Amino acid sequence: MTSFNWNNIFLNNYGTPAIELVAGEGVIVKDSQGNIYLDFLSGIAVNSLGHAHPVIIEAVSDQIRKLSHTSNFYANEPSIKLAEKLIAITNFDAKVFFCNSGTEANEAAIKLSRRTGKKKLIAAHNSFHGRTMGSLSITGQSAKQKPFEPLIGDVRFIEINTKSGVRKIKRKSAAVFLESIQGEGGVTPCNDEFLQSVRSKTIKTKTLLVMDEVQTGLGRTGNWFGYEKSGIKPDVITLAKGLGGGLPMGAMLVTGDAKELFEPGQHGSTFGGNPVVASAALATLNFIEKEDLLNNASNMGQLLIKLITQIEGVTEVRGRGLLLGVGLKDVMAKDVELECRKLGLLLNAVNENTLRLAPALIVNIDQVKRCAEIIDDAIRNVKNGLKK
Ligand SMILES: *Cc1c(COP(=O)(O)O)cnc(C)c1O
């Protein structure tokens, strides 16, 4: 283990990590003590092709030998090809802006919405859109917002899956931000009826519908985008996490009239569309397509739901594909997370009674079965420990 005193060198914004990871291959990851784990968190829904995937290694190595950075003063081939690929998978006429993270993608969408001439924003209670001041302003969690007020004003929070929520979208609303499945908020899906009503209302009020697909996008739910299941078409899609296949990249895709809202000089990013990162993203998307990983995500997700629903102490499994929230009868998610880790499984307690699973899209049947066994054992161990 690298000898370190976390609190001496890092700011106090994260908890102190219990283990240090040193290597990985596929869904397996190894720590500095030589312990190996099944990685069902994937760096928070990031490593879509698992660790050290050959197609990513090759894409990145080839590109970095040729050209590692250009800035947006000059075009580069990987970012052009990636933009074309993203437009192709949305299945509608879109244009692309590249950035480096989820919060930046949402920040871009907030700025874009100002160009409509309207200022009021709508977002959901319990949502998560990022940590920078704009994205934090539309993040419906007061514990995250309070220490940083004042935030940008004019944000109204609605309850997802309610009619009263839809009614709060008005002509004065510039944009509505939603996650098709709230990830950080506890893996809580928006239902089809709600998303469809929001879409009709936003069309009527000329309000931009921004789907934050940072966590749910690019195959994780078994579709390219989580909103597809509801049959809607948003105006704006924000992406990051899984996009770069483990490298930092974000994007905003815009369709319809909103495509023309930005003028030259109004937004930008030095690293946006960086060719090394773009080549990793392109390799990731091509591999997902070639190997039909959307289908694998869907099938493995269904198997996980089936196996985990049967476990004693589990009340429900929410979500779709490979973004699942395991609801526990008791408030013990953190303890179960720790016990799973001892038993060789990485996942995370997304709230006090929900475990989040987000394995790589390449996960296989044996790994899924093993994950369910470990969760079963971990819950039993924690309960027995509590009885003692
Ligand atoms: C993680 C996340 C973000 C923020 O992404 P960062 O890359 O951490 O800035 C935004 N929206 C959603 C839905 C997320 O899950």
Side-chain angles (χ1 to χ4, degrees), residues 117-344:
K118 302 193 265 186
K119 291 195 185 68
K120 289 185 188 296
L121 300 176
I122 307 251
H125 282 295
N126 236 7
S127 61
F128 184 82
H129 298 292
R131 304 285 196 161
T132 52
M133 293 303 269
S135 305
L136 181 61
S137 302
I138 55 167
T139 289
Q141 302 184 41
S142 57
K144 293 193 169 70
Q145 291 191 320
K146 272 273 164 341
F148 302 102
E149 290 173 344
L151 299 171
I152 68 167
D154 266 346
V155 184
R156 182 135 195 214
F157 291 98
I158 63 173
E159 244 13 278
I160 62 166
N161 302 334
T162 64
K163 291 205 169 77
S164 61
V166 180
R167 277 198 295 274
K168 290 190 178 118
I169 303 167
K170 301 274 168 60
R171 283 211 174 271
K172 283 197 165 166
S173 314
V176 178
F177 286 78
L178 289 172
E179 298 156 87
S180 47
I181 301 173
Q182 291 187 337
E184 301 307 302
V187 193
T188 315
C190 286
N191 63 42
D192 297 341
E193 193 195 346
F194 174 71
L195 285 181
Q196 288 158 10
S197 314
V198 168
R199 181 64 285 194
S200 323
K201 188 70 183 280
T202 48
I203 288 171
K204 219 179 279 170
T205 56
K206 295 192 165 34
T207 301
L208 296 177
L209 174 56
V210 182
M211 291 306 299
D212 179 345
E213 294 276 345
V214 168
Q215 188 154 163
T216 45
L218 304 173
R220 182 137 297 279
T221 66
N223 290 109
W224 279 118
F225 304 101
Y227 64 76
E228 283 177 67
K229 178 184 163 283
S230 307
I232 61 158
K233 176 183 152 189
D235 301 293
V236 179
I237 304 167
T238 56
L239 296 170
K241 290 202 166 90
L243 175 58
L247 276 76
M249 180 167 230
M252 172 173 74
L253 312 188
V254 183
T255 188
D257 296 343
K259 279 200 306 251
E260 312 310 325
L261 287 171
F262 274 155
E263 288 163 21
Q266 289 186 335
H267 198 50
S269 162
T270 300
F271 286 114
N274 170 280
V276 175
V277 183
S279 64
L282 189 62
T284 302
L285 297 184
N286 285 336
F287 191 84
I288 290 174
E289 195 165 62
K290 189 169 129 265
E291 299 296 318
D292 198 9
L293 295 184
L294 301 186
N295 208 21
N296 190 58
S298 185
N299 292 339
M300 292 304 106
Q302 275 163 25
L303 182 59
L304 275 167
I305 292 172
K306 182 170 153 242
L307 296 175
I308 295 173
T309 309
Q310 294 166 12
I311 296 172
E312 179 72 32
V314 169
T315 54
E316 60 171 350
V317 182
R318 299 185 297 273
R320 282 197 307 283
L322 295 173
L323 179 59
L324 298 176
V326 179
L328 301 176
K329 210 178 277 167
D330 302 305
V331 173
M332 57 180 206
K334 198 73 211 171
D335 294 330
V336 176
E337 175 192 323
L338 297 182
E339 187 63 22
C340 283
R341 194 166 70 221
K342 279 191 208 149
L343 299 174

Side-chain angles (χ1 to χ4, degrees), residues 73-90:
F73 286 141
Y74 314 102
N76 74 72
E77 185 181 336
S79 76
I80 295 168
K81 284 193 169 163
L82 176 62
E84 286 172 346
K85 184 81 201 165
L86 287 168
I87 292 165
I89 65 173
T90 59

